[in-house]
Amino acid sequence: MKKNRSLLLSGPYILWMLAFTLIPLGVVLYYALTDVETGKFTLNNMAQLLQYLPAFWRSICYSVVAALICLLIGYPVAYYMSRCGAVAQKFLYMLVMLPMCMSFLLRTMAWVGLLQDTGIINSLLSSIGLPTVEMIRTPGAVILGMVYNYLPYMILPLYSVICKIDRRLVEAAEDLGCNGPKVFSKVILPLSMPGILTGMTMVFVPAVSTFYISNKMGSTETILIGDIIERMFKQGDNANMGAALSLLLMVLVFVCTGIINRFGSDEEGSVIV
């Protein structure tokens, strides 16, 4: 009876996963392993992935840099939030979440308006007699867009983990003679590693597959793998090759998820997401 009831309750979730996860993955796999003209099975699409390795490597490098910058910014913010009172924590939590209530496209276009050659920043520099600076269409602009859009994905997991650290462990370390830096390096930092790993992955995964940020804030020299996939599907160049590149990205996502499940668990073995 309990088994039938559990199956009935899990039925909607199983149907959802089947319709919106497994079937789309199967479609991507089918197109990745078939020829664009004949529809027959082939590995040519997978073999041609080598020519896109520069864009793929660029995507990984930009995403790793963005994730590290998010960690440097997000960790102090999350730590400060965890030390505040209950009311202040709720207020700061709301401020972190507030940008995510706005459209991703609008947030990116706002930075385009700030950084473009005739944008707000360069107009301000010109008004005070200073030379303008080329900020748009650079790798730094793309990374800045990634950091701004995905920073909450770093702060929230870190905040969740740091809040759960038992204060008695910190007090015990202080009683044993540890000063502030040693308490942080010996107690707080190791215990917050699950949050660090989760936050790094949650920033890296969407950043490595992004295309709108690099499209609006980058140039032909900052083309990422997401731009190539978007072009292949949108412009109808080669959907099969686009599916092969998408499959490669999915493998990377599965690897990152496996890392979280292996090393990002708390003491009870559950993943912090």
Side-chain angles (χ1 to χ4, degrees), residues 7 54-55 60 64 85 97 122 151 187 198 210 232 251 268:
L7 183 61
I60 293 178
V64 170
M97 293 290 296
N122 277 325
L151 182 59
V187 179
T198 302
T210 189
M232 287 183 174
V251 171
E268 298 177 357

Side-chain angles (χ1 to χ4, degrees), residues 75-98:
Y75 197 102
V77 174
Y79 182 78
Y80 176 76
M81 289 173 59
S82 67
R83 299 295 296 269
C84 293
V87 176
Q89 285 188 20
K90 293 179 181 179
F91 177 73
L92 293 174
Y93 191 91
M94 181 194 67
L95 291 181
V96 173
M97 293 290 296
L98 193 59

Side-chain angles (χ1 to χ4, degrees), residues 67 70-71 74 78 96-97 99-102 104 107 146-160 194-207 213 260 272-273:
C70 285
L71 177 61
V96 173
M97 293 290 296
M100 301 179 67
C101 299
M102 186 185 299
F104 176 86
R107 282 181 281 152
M146 292 179 177
V147 171
Y148 174 75
N149 283 291
Y150 303 128
L151 182 59
Y153 298 153
M154 176 66 71
I155 295 176
L156 298 181
L158 284 171
Y159 167 72
S160 176
I196 294 175
L197 188 57
T198 302
M200 290 284 293
T201 305
M202 291 182 67
V203 172
F204 175 81
V205 169
I213 295 175
I260 291 181
I272 299 173
V273 177

Side-chain angles (χ1 to χ4, degrees), residues 33 92 130 146 191 238 241 249:
L33 299 178
L92 293 174
L130 295 177
M146 292 179 177
L191 292 176
N238 192 339
M241 193 63 216
L249 276 181

